[in-house]
Amino acid sequence: MGKRLRVKNLDRCIGCLECVYACSRTNEKLLSNYRSSITVKASGGIERNYVVVVCRGCRSPPCAPACPIPGAIKPRQGGGVIVDREICDASKCNQECIEACPIPGAIHIDVDINKAIVCRQCGACVQYCSTGVLVMEEATGEW
Amino acid sequence: MVGELKVLYPNILEINLSDLSFEIYESENLFDKYMGGIGVGIELLNQHLQTGVDPLSPENVVIFAIGPLNTYFPVASKTCAVFKSPLTGNLGESYAGGRLSTAMRFNNLGVIILKGKSPEPIYFVSYEDGVQFVNAKPLMYMSPNTTGRIIREKIGHPGNRSVVTIGPAGERLIPYACATVDRTRHFGRTGLGAVLGSKNVKGFAIIGDQPISLESNTNYKQYRRVFREIYKKTTETNLMAKYHVLGTAAGILPLNALKSLPTKNFAESYFEEAENISGEYFASELLGKRVACGGCPIGCIHLAILRERWEKGTVADIHSIAVSYDYELIYALGSNLKIGNAKDILKLIEAIEKEGMDAISTGVVLAWLAEAYERNLISPKDTEGELIRFGRVDDFLSIIGKISKATEESELYYTASKGVEALVEKYGGNDFGIRVAKLEPAGYRTGYYAIMGFLVGGRHSHLDNAGYSLDQKVLNKPITFEQGMNSLMNEEEWRNVLNSMVICLFARGVYDMNTTIQALESLKINRTDEELLKIGKEIQRKRLQFKYAEGFSLKEAYQKFPKRFTEMMTAHGYLEKENFDKLLALYSKEAEKRYAIKVD
Ligand code: SF4
Ligand code: SF4
Ligand code: SF4
Ligand code: SF4
């Protein structure tokens, strides 16, 4: 069983963006702050905490069956989904996956390639989170 | 569009404020030759600035520059600002973190040049496709942070932006006004805030979203490997541990123990109450959270939570604010003012933050005022009835605003708003007028090299050449004066290289020569040791050339040394005038040899 990414200690986040860069560096071969599956935002003023927005790795993901294009997005063993970039095409659907996911921003459209971008549970970001906010864990529990 | 940017050679944005026009162009040659940061900055300053102009006139020029490593590598998180300083009258140079360098990177900007003067107060927003100028008259005299919040709300785009603002002090052209970056970082030293104020620039925002292709701009495999190595060195070795645990405030107790913590306007070097203002105390009692600059896994920015009861309020009439603290602020507003209460220091930091002044300079100005008051050099008439006493936080709190708002009618505060040099010229008290080459110094009474470092440094900052650190290193391993001065000069040249990259100097232990060369190589920039050292030396030559052309006199700055420098106890005992003479002679000889310019 694969592990999935968890935002375990959100309150510890220092807003360094290393996870964001790690994701785009490893998975997109890009240096980018938005072509990444993980986003870090301030939650209103630096005094408050940061928010890490990323897919929660559902074991029965509502985003996948909502997609009208067969094979574009499939549940992944161990939680979460895998987007097939050969098939996914955001211009040929109504972006139903985004609509179906209750977490705003967890899955979004990479406008440069017009495809859904979502965490593939690879764990690259975890290696670059110096504060232990992010961990890879075996999926347990109900979701 | 998938990013196929020429990132090794980002663009230059040149803004002419006088007619609110801008131009974006490329300049491969420049980045090729001078890397970025201070290397590119000093070259452009020389190109665009005429010698001898008034720093607060429209003719002054401000250059912001990032370098090749910014955003590509951990802790390469600073932006360099270069301009003519209204405080020192020569090289203005300052570095700030936050998210400015990443915003510039993702906007594909390597350099921003500001020229002229806007007819009305404005802020500007740099988007990827151009610049928008916004009327900032309704924001006049707002604090830097309120201004920043308003600009952020107006432009939206959370996450991928950086906002730089000035406060009332900058608008009133106080020569030690700072510019605040993303709420907690500052272009603190040498008066950038006043220069922006003189140009009617209340602030600016950079928004950047462009992805950068690592396949075309790096040797991808090597890049990832070098990234991992640097990341590991940064987080897993003890090279930077002190910065994330206690932050720079970790230095208070060790320096105090060494008899090197400036106390009571540098008259003393040991503060009995240091325990109560130590990094340890702040961390255990007041620290609320740590945050980081973009792309820095360290997170040295320590934010304390200050709970304040309203005047005459009940127990529930309370508000809390987050205040960032650092070693230099604790020295300047703590020990040097004999303030032994950590919360009081936070109150002073916050008051100065609101005005938008450099906290080090402000603290040293306050210390001079307290000593002059104690010695009756200034009278209650001069202070307009205010008491200015060491150890009394309320005294200082009530005059910070007076200094920031002073007009010529209130002579003392107006003079104080020009810095220690101006105070000494008007009222005397040179013996205890703590400044070197018109700049109020950082907090080190470690020995000869700290002070000589201030004097000969390109921007007279402790970070130019880290004399304070050399003093500590040679405590148990004495070296000759000649070796010492050489070591200072080598350090400054190497720092010029790092400041061209532009890494945070807290990571200087991580970015040794070999690591720096490898990082560059993975970005397809091939440089040898000798080439880098040559660039560092060449930059130093240009910085000095700029200073001397602007009329800097080493001799004069040296002659103005306050007597206190030879009367104070340091980690190396009392310092002697003859030794300073020797050090200066050694420096002049060596500098002339190295840089082929006359330093006097
Ligand atoms: S995108 Fe949303 S719905 Fe789909 S797996 Fe992730 S969290 Fe669950
Ligand atoms: S686990 Fe992998 S895909 Fe998911 S956010 Fe982290 S780096 Fe990106
Ligand atoms: S790497 Fe960790 S600490 Fe840094 S922004 Fe991401 S979650 Fe926060
Ligand atoms: S060490 Fe501190 S100042 Fe330097 S980049 Fe990191 S957070 Fe910013």
Side-chain angles (χ1 to χ4, degrees), chain B residues 51-71:
Chain B
T51 304
V53 304
D54 175 353
L56 295 175
S57 72
E59 281 72 44
N60 200 354
V61 175
V62 182
I63 319 275
F64 295 96
I66 62 168
L69 301 192
N70 283 108
T71 317

Side-chain angles (χ1 to χ4, degrees), chain B residues 57-285:
Chain B
S57 72
E59 281 72 44
N60 200 354
V61 175
V62 182
I63 319 275
F64 295 96
I66 62 168
L69 301 192
N70 283 108
T71 317
Y72 278 102
F73 285 102
V75 219
S77 53
K78 295 274 169 170
T79 302
C80 169
V82 202
F83 47 94
K84 182 167 174 182
S85 164
L87 185 62
T88 66
N90 62 75
L91 180 61
E93 183 184 325
S94 186
Y95 297 81
R99 293 197 174 164
L100 183 56
S101 66
T102 54
M104 284 178 69
R105 172 66 74 210
F106 290 128
N107 191 312
N108 199 26
L109 289 179
V111 169
I112 302 171
I113 304 175
L114 302 182
K115 293 171 127 177
K117 175 183 181 178
S118 163
E120 296 277 0
I122 51 116
Y123 70 83
F124 67 85
V125 187
S126 162
Y127 297 92
E128 279 155 33
D129 50 359
V131 177
Q132 185 194 3
F133 298 93
V134 184
N135 182 348
K137 229 174 172 175
L139 310 182
M140 281 178 83
Y141 304 119
M142 265 182 189
S143 74
N145 285 325
T146 305
T147 312
R149 179 177 54 74
I150 288 171
I151 295 177
R152 276 188 284 274
E153 278 174 25
K154 187 87 177 167
I155 62 178
H157 232 91
N160 316 322
R161 58 181 184 196
S162 176
V163 178
V164 180
T165 54
I166 62 167
E171 290 166 85
R172 296 198 176 94
L173 311 182
I174 291 181
Y176 51 91
C178 68
T180 304
V181 183
D182 300 328
R183 174 75 173 73
T184 58
R185 302 284 85 191
H186 305 86
F187 287 109
R189 316 257 45 216
T190 65
L192 179 63
V195 178
L196 292 178
S198 75
K199 298 189 169 306
N200 266 331
V201 173
K202 178 68 175 159
F204 62 90
I206 310 293
I207 295 181
D209 262 343
Q210 293 189 42
I212 292 158
S213 162
L214 293 172
E215 272 182 312
S216 50
N217 288 300
T218 70
N219 301 318
Y220 184 63
K221 265 206 175 134
Q222 184 191 19
Y223 168 65
R224 282 184 61 185
R225 180 175 55 76
V226 178
F227 188 102
R228 200 169 326 117
E229 281 166 17
I230 293 178
Y231 180 85
K232 283 217 151 83
K233 250 168 115 185
T234 306
T235 53
E236 288 169 18
T237 64
N238 58 5
L239 287 170
M240 289 191 74
K242 89 168 199 207
Y243 293 108
H244 80 93
V245 182
L246 298 179
T248 54
I252 295 287
L253 290 182
L255 282 159
N256 199 44
L258 280 178
K259 299 223 168 9
S260 298
L261 180 68
T263 302
K264 207 184 177 206
N265 195 32
F266 282 70
E268 296 155 16
S269 56
Y270 179 84
F271 188 36
E272 320 77 59
E273 294 172 87
E275 294 275 348
N276 301 331
I277 60 168
S278 63
E280 289 78 356
Y281 182 90
F282 271 94
S284 70
E285 302 301 321

Side-chain angles (χ1 to χ4, degrees), chain A residues 5 19 22-23 27 37-38 54 118-125 136:
Chain A
L5 176 66
C19 53
C23 185
N27 296 312
S37 300
I38 184 165
V54 68
V118 63
C119 174
R120 56 186 78 175
Q121 320 295 337
C122 73
C125 54
M136 288 301 281

Side-chain angles (χ1 to χ4, degrees), chain A residues 79-91:
Chain A
V81 288
I82 298 290
V83 172
D84 188 332
R85 291 207 177 161
E86 301 291 316
I87 304 176
C88 170
D89 184 346
S91 66

Side-chain angles (χ1 to χ4, degrees), chain B residues 241-411:
Chain B
K242 89 168 199 207
Y243 293 108
H244 80 93
V245 182
L246 298 179
T248 54
I252 295 287
L253 290 182
L255 282 159
N256 199 44
L258 280 178
K259 299 223 168 9
S260 298
L261 180 68
T263 302
K264 207 184 177 206
N265 195 32
F266 282 70
E268 296 155 16
S269 56
Y270 179 84
F271 188 36
E272 320 77 59
E273 294 172 87
E275 294 275 348
N276 301 331
I277 60 168
S278 63
E280 289 78 356
Y281 182 90
F282 271 94
S284 70
E285 302 301 321
L286 294 161
L287 181 62
K289 66 185 293 196
R290 285 189 298 120
V291 296
C293 300
C296 172
I298 296 305
C300 79
I301 307 168
H302 283 56
L303 292 174
I305 302 297
L306 175 64
R307 290 173 76 228
E308 275 202 285
R309 186 155 303 148
W310 307 353
E311 225 176 297
K312 300 201 190 93
T314 70
V315 280
D317 291 329
I318 222 157
H319 66 259
S320 301
I321 46 171
V323 182
S324 70
Y325 62 88
D326 256 307
Y327 171 82
E328 299 300 346
L329 280 63
I330 299 175
Y331 126 74
L333 303 168
S335 60
N336 207 36
L337 299 179
K338 296 212 90 169
I339 301 285
N341 178 308
K343 277 191 178 175
D344 288 344
I345 294 175
L346 294 176
K347 287 182 197 168
L348 289 167
I349 296 175
E350 181 60 13
I352 292 166
E353 189 88 72
K354 276 188 177 147
E355 303 297 336
M357 300 192 283
D358 175 39
I360 300 179
S361 284
T362 310
V364 180
V365 164
L366 293 174
W368 185 93
L369 289 171
E371 181 154 356
Y373 190 76
E374 195 175 272
R375 292 170 177 251
N376 294 321
L377 191 67
I378 53 175
S379 67
K381 195 169 150 268
D382 293 318
T383 69
E384 299 165 20
E386 297 286 348
L387 303 168
I388 310 178
R389 295 162 298 182
F390 285 110
R392 305 292 187 101
V393 69
D394 291 329
D395 291 7
F396 296 121
L397 281 172
S398 59
I399 64 169
I400 287 169
K402 289 202 158 140
I403 293 173
S404 170
K405 292 180 187 66
T407 57
E408 269 162 85
E409 281 92 77
S410 70
E411 198 175 69

Side-chain angles (χ1 to χ4, degrees), chain A:
Chain A
M1 277 279 275
K3 294 183 175 182
R4 64 179 173 183
L5 176 66
R6 274 202 67 197
V7 183
K8 195 161 190 184
N9 297 298
L10 177 62
D11 296 340
R12 294 189 191 172
C13 177
I14 55 173
C16 68
L17 305 177
E18 288 294 359
C19 53
V20 177
Y21 300 152
C23 185
S24 75
R25 179 171 69 240
T26 316
N27 296 312
E28 313 293 336
K29 295 195 179 170
L30 291 172
L31 182 63
S32 172
N33 51 354
Y34 86 101
R35 287 193 58 189
S36 157
S37 300
I38 184 165
T39 311
V40 179
K41 306 194 283 198
S43 66
I46 196 120
E47 298 87 345
R48 310 248 173 77
N49 288 347
Y50 290 98
V51 184
V52 176
V53 182
V54 68
C55 164
R56 205 156 175 248
C58 307
R59 281 192 289 175
S60 43
C63 54
C67 173
I69 305 177
I73 179 169
K74 284 186 280 201
R76 169 188 167 275
Q77 268 257 318
V81 288
I82 298 290
V83 172
D84 188 332
R85 291 207 177 161
E86 301 291 316
I87 304 176
C88 170
D89 184 346
S91 66
K92 294 209 178 102
C93 66
N94 296 315
Q95 305 175 4
E96 284 85 349
C97 57
I98 295 173
E99 187 59 37
C101 172
I103 303 172
I107 180 165
H108 61 276
I109 301 300
D110 180 335
V111 291
D112 290 350
I113 52 176
N114 222 4
K115 293 177 194 302
I117 179 166
V118 63
C119 174
R120 56 186 78 175
Q121 320 295 337
C122 73
C125 54
V126 176
Q127 291 173 42
Y128 294 97
C129 179
S130 62
T131 57
V133 173
L134 305 174
V135 293
M136 288 301 281
E137 267 185 4
E138 207 70 57
T140 53
E142 288 173 38
W143 93 92

